[in-house]
Amino acid sequence: MRHIAVIGSGPAGFYTAEAALKTFGSEVRVDLIDRLPVPYGLIRSGVAPDHQSIKAVTRRYENTASDEQVRFFGNVTVGQDVTVEELRGLYDAVVTCTGAPADKRLGVPGDDLPGVIGSAAFVGWYNGHPDFAGLYPPLDGETVAVIGNGNVALDVARILAKTPEEFAGSDIVGHALEALRLSKVRRIIVCGRRGPHQIAMTPKELGELGHLARAAPLVDPAAFPPIEGDDMLDPGQRKSVTLLRGFAAAGGSDKPVIIDFRFFSSPVAILGTDRVEGIRLEHTALDADGHAHGDGHTVDISCSMVVSCIGYRSITIEGLPYDEKAGRFANEEGRIGGIGSGLYCAGWARRGPTGTIGTNRPDGFQIVEEMAKDLPDAQGKQGGDGLARLLGERAVNAVSFDDWRRIEEAENLQARDGSPREKFVDLAEMIAAAQPA
């Protein structure tokens, strides 16, 4: 019997487990190990709470987890409760699928001031991630700057702009919903160092901004190149630019909240002494290769908070080589340490934070294909039984998938009207809810 340990139970982890079941059939056991007592990673704590249709993919993951050949070990931290070397001794292969949960720094003066928040932290706050439940973002000012021109920046802007009523049907956590209800934010400035033709925003997310109850997008018509250039874009990007042109033509709105797009604007400093008081933006221009360069012209804008949506990094794990420059684990086509090491990585831990949730599926299958070449035969290792014994000896309270179902049931029962669930944001409460009645 082959035994495979998958570190991380987000999309990459589940797709890797699915691939292992389909590749090796009845001759494999897969154990998903997660430091949180709850599975699904980015789906639970990264996907916007008002995008419930995307979260429906967890039904597929649940089918995988329900297979008798798959086990879930939640509340287990690799590198603390068990080492990578110990996992190598217990399993034929160890696949790291921990994603990229850490924010990249802005890298400008003042980026360490209170009120500068990375998108992983801010999204984790309104999604109920235990690491960020005590964030308390400063929503007491009129203006917030959001740095980035991707879908995460749009999610942050949309969440800041919505009315409490517009969160009906979402699973935004109660503490965030109440904070947003009391928010004084009336202008959300979305800054991008390049122009409309270079955005990474998709039409669905952009289109939502045109249908908000109390907020409207504002775009400067001067930011656009000649309209003939739109024909050179791929269909999705052309739709996005068409939406932006429509926002520009509308010329704003009398709605009380404005989402103000500032293209060709790059942050060069965060202003303030004890907290964020403003941001300095430098105007940029594109060179022949499409790279943005500052032209020396700056503008200072008062704001109370800066949310940086410029990318993510994987978190290091002792015993695994790490590529500091790329912000992910050092690997060659998903192998860590070369053929025969038994160590692999998949998803964002392998590629960096690129692609969609679905991109991780072919990634997981490719890793398992390589694994089948490297490890044609089982090595008679203990697998999950050995891990369970080791964790028991160390008094680690591992959470099973049945335990997770009890947590899920408790979250569903405590949901406010119209919401699918109210997530626990405290680890001790999660562990308590996991216990059999």
Side-chain angles (χ1 to χ4, degrees):
M1 187 69 62
R2 291 179 180 82
H3 293 280
I4 300 173
V6 178
I7 306 172
S9 64
F14 270 101
Y15 287 130
T16 300
E18 177 187 334
L21 294 176
K22 291 186 176 181
T23 300
F24 298 118
S26 61
E27 298 179 352
V28 72
R29 295 291 183 270
V30 183
D31 295 328
L32 292 155
I33 306 169
D34 203 296
R35 73 178 182 91
L36 292 180
V38 295
Y40 305 143
L42 185 70
I43 305 298
R44 178 179 169 94
S45 60
V47 172
D50 54 349
H51 285 174
Q52 287 297 303
S53 61
I54 298 176
K55 296 185 183 233
V57 72
T58 57
R59 298 192 192 103
R60 177 177 188 148
Y61 302 160
E62 185 171 6
N63 287 337
T64 299
S66 299
D67 193 295
E68 62 181 10
Q69 296 170 232
V70 177
R71 246 191 296 196
F72 177 65
F73 288 86
N75 197 42
V76 176
T77 301
V78 176
Q80 177 179 306
D81 298 321
V82 60
T83 68
V84 170
E85 278 304 304
E86 286 170 331
L87 291 178
R88 291 179 72 186
L90 293 169
Y91 291 89
D92 298 272
V94 179
V95 190
T96 300
C97 300
T98 51
D103 285 298
K104 286 184 179 179
R105 291 281 297 269
L106 271 174
V108 300
D111 69 354
D112 57 347
L113 282 171
V116 178
I117 301 173
S119 56
F122 190 72
V123 171
W125 168 74
Y126 63 63
N127 264 326
H129 194 294
D131 289 353
F132 307 111
L135 186 64
Y136 304 111
L139 302 174
D140 54 344
E142 192 171 287
T143 302
V144 169
V146 179
I147 312 300
N149 266 180
N151 280 344
V152 175
L154 291 182
D155 284 345
V156 169
R158 187 181 69 257
I159 295 298
L160 286 169
K162 278 194 165 185
T163 63
E165 293 73 23
E166 287 177 288
F167 287 107
S170 79
D171 63 350
I172 188 170
V173 289
H175 66 247
L177 186 61
E178 177 62 12
L180 290 166
R181 185 182 69 81
L182 300 173
S183 170
K184 296 181 179 178
V185 175
R186 294 297 177 266
R187 180 173 290 269
I188 303 150
I189 299 175
V190 181
C191 311
R193 58 190 174 87
R194 297 193 292 174
H197 275 196
Q198 290 78 39
I199 59 170
M201 300 170 175
T202 51
K204 180 185 180 297
E205 280 70 19
L206 261 178
E208 288 180 271
L209 300 189
H211 303 284
L212 298 175
R214 65 169 183 173
L218 178 67
V219 183
D220 183 357
F224 295 91
I227 195 168
E228 294 78 14
D230 293 2
D231 294 336
M232 303 297 292
L233 302 173
D234 66 61
Q237 200 166 17
R238 188 161 59 246
K239 288 180 182 177
S240 295
V241 172
T242 299
L243 285 166
L244 287 170
R245 288 189 185 276
F247 297 156
S253 166
D254 58 359
K255 291 182 178 180
V257 177
I258 296 298
I259 301 172
D260 185 357
F261 285 87
R262 301 287 183 97
F263 293 107
F264 300 108
S265 296
S266 180
V268 292
I270 309 300
L271 310 176
T273 51
D274 299 324
R275 56 170 288 178
V276 172
E277 297 173 12
I279 185 169
R280 178 167 295 152
L281 300 174
E282 182 179 20
H283 184 267
T284 64
L286 300 182
D287 62 20
D289 296 323
H291 299 124
H293 300 278
D295 64 6
H297 294 88
T298 62
V299 59
D300 292 351
I301 300 173
S302 296
C303 62
S304 62
M305 182 171 73
V306 175
V307 183
S308 171
C309 308
I310 61 168
Y312 306 104
R313 298 173 59 85
S314 296
I315 294 176
T316 60
I317 297 176
E318 187 176 351
L320 294 178
Y322 188 79
D323 185 337
E324 286 286 349
K325 184 176 180 180
R328 55 173 171 76
F329 293 96
N331 70 92
E332 292 290 337
E333 299 300 321
R335 290 184 180 89
I336 298 177
I339 296 175
S341 71
L343 296 175
Y344 304 85
C345 56
W348 286 7
R350 171 196 176 189
R351 307 187 316 271
T354 61
T356 63
I357 290 167
T359 308
N360 293 293
R361 186 174 185 273
D363 205 40
F365 274 80
Q366 181 183 344
I367 290 300
V368 173
E369 285 179 13
E370 298 304 318
M371 190 186 301
K373 298 173 187 175
D374 298 345
L375 307 165
D377 301 309
Q379 301 171 49
K381 297 194 175 183
Q382 298 178 51
D385 290 342
L387 177 60
R389 282 194 294 271
L390 185 63
L391 295 175
E393 292 168 1
R394 295 173 181 176
V396 177
N397 191 0
V399 171
S400 70
F401 203 77
D402 284 339
D403 295 335
W404 147 244
R405 286 192 173 106
R406 283 186 279 271
I407 297 173
E408 184 180 38
E409 182 180 7
E411 291 183 336
N412 295 344
L413 288 172
Q414 67 185 11
R416 62 184 178 276
D417 288 345
S419 175
R421 66 190 62 83
E422 180 62 42
K423 296 175 190 170
F424 291 109
V425 299
D426 180 79
L427 291 175
E429 291 181 355
M430 289 181 185
I431 297 298
Q435 305 307 310

